[in-house]
Amino acid sequence: MAMWDRIKEQAKGLQQQSQGAGQASGGTAGGLQPGAGAGAGGGSKEKLVGLLKSQLGSLKTELKSGAYRDASMAMCALVAAADGSVDPAERQHVESLILQNDVLQNFPPEQLRQRFNKHVDQLMFNFPQGRADALQEIAKAAKKPVEAKAVVQTGFVIAGADGYIAPAEAQVLREACTALGVSPQEFGL
């Protein structure tokens, strides 16, 4: 648990730096506030996503359960479909991000693809039902706090891969936090 506290403190420090830089430049960017894009504070957001990615990497040996794998794939699908649609190029891009993710390399690529695409297909066929199913899958990781937080971090890494976390993506991340029993404030939401 001490490791998680240290990671949380590092993220909080970086978030405070980000907020200070955003205010100094006259922007409103701070932490990972929805709607704050690649403009003022965009570089800080990239640093925070990078920090979350490295934190996940440091937990790689602990994140080998099926619950983490399945919840992460549901999280990735929800992030991809946050705006209500997933075109083939976006699906392929997110799938590529998943397969390149250091921590997710704990799992066979075909398992990741299958689970991610199953959730995306469900979301595109019937969004409300697909969303409910994905959140139910995500909630299964709540039993282990390290995994629960790692699922949210995975969502941030995918959402922030383009240097911007859209308001719809931030909303999905907040919903995942609720399903996992994690405070959205821990992630600046």
Side-chain angles (χ1 to χ4, degrees):
M1 206 50 140
M3 179 196 283
W4 180 252
D5 291 337
R6 183 173 45 90
I7 291 169
K8 197 164 78 171
E9 286 303 312
Q10 289 173 340
K12 191 184 294 183
L14 186 57
Q15 185 178 21
Q16 289 169 346
Q17 288 175 354
S18 170
Q19 288 171 339
Q23 290 168 353
S25 68
T28 58
L32 289 171
Q33 294 175 355
S44 296
K45 201 167 292 190
E46 289 173 20
K47 287 180 190 175
L48 186 54
V49 170
L51 178 64
L52 291 173
K53 194 173 187 177
S54 70
Q55 290 169 356
L56 276 172
S58 71
L59 297 171
K60 183 175 181 174
T61 58
E62 296 179 52
L63 300 173
K64 293 184 176 183
S65 77
Y68 169 72
R69 176 201 58 210
D70 296 349
S72 292
M73 291 306 92
M75 179 83 257
C76 291
L78 277 176
V79 167
D83 64 358
S85 69
V86 181
D87 64 43
E90 183 178 16
R91 184 186 287 234
Q92 185 175 9
H93 177 68
V94 173
E95 191 175 295
S96 162
L97 292 171
I98 290 167
L99 297 177
Q100 292 171 12
N101 184 289
D102 189 43
V103 176
L104 293 173
Q105 289 177 3
N106 282 335
F107 308 102
E110 197 48 45
Q111 285 182 5
L112 299 174
R113 273 191 199 97
Q114 179 187 16
R115 283 163 174 79
F116 169 71
N117 285 311
K118 176 191 89 165
H119 284 290
V120 171
D121 291 344
Q122 288 175 334
L123 286 159
M124 294 303 92
F125 179 72
N126 180 341
F127 189 83
Q129 184 61 50
R131 182 180 153 280
D133 291 347
L135 287 170
Q136 185 176 12
E137 191 72 52
I138 288 168
K140 291 178 184 177
K143 295 173 188 167
K144 295 182 180 176
V146 170
E147 288 184 5
K149 292 174 183 180
V151 169
V152 178
Q153 286 177 306
T154 301
F156 266 106
V157 169
I158 298 300
D162 59 359
Y164 174 79
I165 296 179
E169 292 169 334
Q171 179 59 35
V172 163
L173 292 166
R174 277 191 292 276
E175 290 171 0
C177 284
T178 300
L180 290 163
V182 175
S183 170
Q185 289 76 22
E186 282 190 52
F187 297 94
L189 293 170

